[in-house]
Amino acid sequence: MTVFVYQTFEIKQDQFKEALQNLGEIQKFRNEEFNHKVEILSPISGHDHTYALLSTYEGLAEMELQDKKMFDDEKYLKLIGDFFLKNIVQGSMHTQIYRNTNGKKS
């Protein structure tokens, strides 16, 4: 069953350009190095500087395995650490996890 991790966060206005560059690096690294897909979502409505990452995993076990691999990877920790410390408003990150219900019979 597919699992989606939806993380929203507010980018600091004075770090906007750098934040988008860093987000692109994080997305590229995760898509190339780990077994899941990451998309960057930009706002169409709502708060202008609230962006999101949407990560798609094959299931909960795969999500746990990939998270462990990511947090054991020094290069990833550097990318994500810089992003959190320099580019987003402290306390603005919210994470939600969803699962796909397609295929269930009624």
Side-chain angles (χ1 to χ4, degrees):
M1 185 176 299
T2 305
V3 171
F4 303 93
V5 178
Y6 178 69
Q7 296 176 295
T8 60
F9 45 86
E10 186 179 344
I11 293 176
K12 294 177 183 175
Q13 288 184 4
D14 63 339
Q15 294 292 332
F16 189 74
K17 182 179 178 183
E18 294 83 0
L20 292 183
Q21 289 173 341
N22 195 306
L23 265 177
E25 292 172 15
I26 291 168
Q27 177 190 33
K28 182 178 182 212
F29 188 78
R30 286 177 63 177
N31 284 335
E32 291 175 355
E33 300 294 326
F34 303 105
N35 189 27
H36 63 279
K37 180 182 175 190
V38 176
E39 297 178 66
I40 300 168
L41 305 178
S42 61
I44 293 175
S45 65
H47 299 290
D48 290 338
H49 294 280
T50 299
Y51 278 67
L53 289 176
L54 179 63
S55 306
T56 306
Y57 300 88
E58 291 178 10
L60 284 172
E62 188 64 30
M63 181 190 77
E64 290 290 337
L65 177 63
Q66 295 307 314
D67 279 359
K68 181 179 180 347
K69 287 180 180 179
M70 286 188 294
F71 288 101
D72 286 343
D73 188 298
E74 291 298 322
K75 186 173 179 183
Y76 177 72
L77 290 177
K78 171 85 170 111
L79 281 173
I80 203 76
D82 287 348
F83 179 70
F84 285 129
L85 293 174
K86 298 176 184 174
N87 302 133
I88 69 167
V89 175
Q90 184 176 354
S92 70
M93 179 164 272
H94 300 279
T95 302
Q96 296 174 301
I97 301 174
Y98 296 91
R99 66 177 166 209
N100 183 327
T101 60
N102 290 346
K104 288 194 174 191
K105 296 182 181 184
S106 52

